[in-house]
Amino acid sequence: MAGRIVSIGECMVEMSGGEDRTYRLGYAGDTLNTAWYLRALLGADWSVDYATALGEDRYSGDIRTFLAQHQIGTGHIQTIPNRRPGLYLIHQEHGDRHFTYWRDTSAAKLLADDKAALATAVEGAELVYFSGITLAILAPRARGRLLGAIVKARDNGARIAFDTNLRPALWSSPRVMAGVLTAAASLCDIVLPTHTDEAPLFGDTSIDDTADRYLELGVEEVVVKDGSKEALAATASERIRMAPPPGAKVVDATGAGDSFNGAYLAARLQGKSLREALEAAHRTAGIVIGHKGALVDPQLVQG
């Protein structure tokens, strides 16, 4: 079995490091990170496209080149004049990562303004993937257009996967965030939330609470991440809990959840069981956190 995957969201310029005020330039973003690991872990008979919007500047061009060089399709990247990619800076402080963002003029905030382009991007997809950040950066009407395109894709046979990826700073209020994310999840086949992010907003006391809340919406498969603790993959008839392997050395946790998602989805697309998919997801995330940056060399997670 093979097919086409479309990941929808924002690719940003990433400045990481910060030691002695020296930074390394890269490109990343939650849905791009997941697309990266899907591409790394699926065979050449699968295609992985990234749907976003970029500008006409040097860094927009560099992002297109970077994606194409790594066999991630760029044919559904829209060009928005007078806009450019967002930028974020990562610095380490007291053993933890801190992020500073500049995205007010990000072209990706307009990725859902063209309804026809969205429809074309998801046409014929086997899997469509998006996140709460994808929704958060869009204006309310644009969110509606994106969700409309996703509904149509699902009606045409695509499976829909969604990481709620809560970022309160991007939303006008917790109430709006909760309402939009719940509505979006109800349209999906697979939802991949993070318990520690969800608990303060929804009152979940356990990973089972988080899974149950989405299963009750009609979601077919829920995969609850919980950092270094057990993850849970749940359907109406099966629950598999699995802790990550012990002994992983954390160099940089950036992109850990995104890589987990990519490996889990790749395994499921290849017909693997919930247990096998969780094993693959933990293994991949464990490799990623041992290296700097969100995107590691694909060869490191293969095999």
Side-chain angles (χ1 to χ4, degrees):
M1 179 180 175
R4 176 171 172 263
I5 298 165
V6 182
S7 185
I8 306 172
E10 180 180 27
C11 176
M12 304 181 74
V13 177
E14 176 191 83
M15 301 299 292
S16 61
E19 298 86 0
D20 300 321
R21 298 186 181 274
T22 300
Y23 289 85
R24 183 183 66 169
L25 186 147
Y27 305 110
D30 67 330
T31 54
L32 173 62
N33 304 342
T34 296
W36 179 270
Y37 294 103
L38 279 162
R39 175 66 286 159
L41 293 165
L42 290 171
D45 48 350
W46 286 90
S47 65
V48 179
D49 289 347
Y50 195 60
T52 188
L54 293 168
E56 299 172 307
D57 59 290
R58 169 184 174 176
Y59 296 103
S60 292
D62 286 351
I63 288 171
R64 286 183 173 89
T65 299
F66 173 75
L67 296 179
Q69 286 174 341
H70 290 90
Q71 290 77 55
I72 295 174
T74 61
H76 298 289
I77 297 179
Q78 301 172 55
T79 299
I80 311 294
N82 303 314
R83 291 275 181 148
R84 55 183 56 85
L87 165 71
Y88 71 99
L89 185 148
I90 309 172
H91 66 277
Q92 302 283 338
E93 187 175 309
H94 307 304
D96 199 3
R97 298 165 300 142
H98 296 263
F99 296 82
T100 305
Y101 292 90
W102 294 265
R103 68 191 336 159
D104 288 349
T105 59
S106 168
K109 294 175 78 169
L110 306 181
L111 69 83
D113 281 18
D114 187 331
K115 186 175 180 180
L118 270 182
T120 302
V122 300
E123 186 177 0
E126 179 78 20
L127 177 76
V128 177
Y129 178 80
F130 70 116
S131 77
I133 294 177
T134 310
L135 293 170
I137 65 172
L138 301 178
R141 286 191 178 185
R143 287 176 199 150
R145 282 190 290 272
L146 175 59
L147 293 177
I150 283 166
V151 168
K152 186 173 181 180
R154 192 183 191 195
D155 288 346
N156 289 333
R159 289 177 62 76
I160 311 298
F162 177 52
D163 183 344
T164 51
N165 216 348
L166 277 69
R167 293 294 184 272
L170 296 177
W171 294 90
S172 58
S173 73
R175 180 185 61 80
V176 170
M177 177 170 64
V180 172
L181 296 181
T182 299
S186 72
L187 308 175
C188 299
D189 300 287
I190 304 173
V191 175
L192 303 111
T194 298
H195 171 67
T196 49
D197 292 345
E198 304 256 327
L201 183 66
F202 294 105
D204 303 336
T205 60
S206 67
I207 55 176
D208 288 278
D209 283 353
T210 303
D212 288 341
R213 183 164 42 80
Y214 288 110
L215 290 171
E216 287 166 7
L217 292 175
V219 178
E220 195 175 288
E221 187 171 331
V222 183
V223 187
V224 186
K225 305 179 293 290
D226 198 15
S228 60
K229 301 177 184 177
E230 282 186 332
L232 169 67
T235 67
S237 59
E238 185 177 11
R239 289 191 182 222
I240 303 293
R241 290 174 175 76
M242 187 178 298
K249 180 183 177 183
V250 181
V251 173
D252 182 356
T254 307
D258 305 327
S259 66
F260 182 104
N261 293 349
Y264 183 90
L265 292 170
R268 294 294 281 156
L269 288 168
Q270 293 171 311
K272 302 291 180 63
S273 68
L274 298 185
R275 182 175 298 280
E276 290 168 325
L278 282 178
E279 288 172 350
H282 277 314
R283 181 173 61 249
T284 299
I287 293 167
V288 171
I289 63 175
H291 297 79
K292 288 188 176 181
L295 306 180
V296 308
D297 184 336
Q299 293 185 353
L300 292 174
V301 298
Q302 294 165 347

